Amino acid sequence: MKPEERVWQYVDKSAGPDGCWPWIGTKGTRGYGSAWDGKRTRPAHRYAYELLAGPIPEGLQLDHLCRNRGCVNPAHLEAVTNRENILRGIGHTA
């Protein structure tokens, strides 16, 4: 099985296309999933996003709109600048 097929074995899509897709595989201490892409271990949400939505533009990072770090649903992820991601973060005050 190819890594891009294998990754979905570790995703719970039971909430449907609009719900969170929790990563049920290995997670780091900060709650982000870890996925093997066939060459290296990567953040699972980034790998899933790239598989379904395309490349993440240079200089941008993914913001979890649902605020669930374990979610890999590309519909819940938005490519933003680091500054925008920080400003949107929980606990930030303007």
Side-chain angles (χ1 to χ4, degrees):
M1 182 180 301
K2 295 179 183 179
E4 59 269 19
E5 296 168 349
R6 185 174 179 267
V7 69
W8 303 116
Q9 294 178 348
Y10 299 98
V11 178
D12 176 1
K13 293 184 182 180
S14 63
D18 297 327
C20 282
W21 293 356
W23 180 256
I24 56 175
T26 302
K27 290 184 185 174
T29 57
R30 297 184 62 208
Y32 295 101
S34 297
W36 178 254
D37 71 2
K39 297 179 185 173
R40 61 189 169 106
T41 300
R42 309 184 47 202
H45 65 290
R46 293 179 61 89
Y47 188 38
Y49 182 92
E50 290 174 354
L51 289 172
L52 296 179
I56 301 165
E58 183 84 22
L60 299 184
Q61 54 189 242
L62 296 177
D63 179 22
H64 282 85
L65 301 174
C66 59
R67 295 292 168 244
N68 177 355
R69 291 179 176 178
C71 179
V72 300
N73 184 346
H76 290 195
L77 302 168
E78 182 180 8
V80 298
T81 64
N82 180 57
R83 180 178 175 3
E84 183 67 23
N85 202 3
I86 291 169
L87 289 173
R88 292 177 176 182
I90 297 171
H92 175 77
T93 56

